[in-house]
Amino acid sequence: MSREAPTDANIISDEELTELLADAEGTTPEEIERGAAEVKIASPEEATVVDE
């Protein structure tokens, strides 16, 4: 199975993603931001790569 590199047409900003999530969840972008801050998601650069 191959993966294609994303094109610029498939990339959205963090703000756009937040708005889409808020709309899908029936909440506000501010509430999404507060929830994300509580989860403390690590950036991909800090992720640990694991081979299975």
Side-chain angles (χ1 to χ4, degrees):
M1 181 165 79
S2 66
R3 292 187 180 195
E4 295 180 20
T7 62
D8 288 342
N10 294 334
I11 298 173
I12 63 171
S13 69
D14 290 344
E15 293 80 19
E16 290 171 314
L17 177 59
T18 300
E19 290 174 9
L20 288 170
L21 288 170
D23 187 46
E25 292 294 319
T27 188
T28 65
E30 292 80 15
E31 189 65 31
I32 297 294
E33 291 288 333
R34 279 193 293 274
E38 290 175 11
V39 174
K40 297 182 183 177
I41 300 170
S43 68
E45 292 83 21
E46 298 173 13
T48 303
V49 177
V50 179
D51 270 339
E52 291 187 25

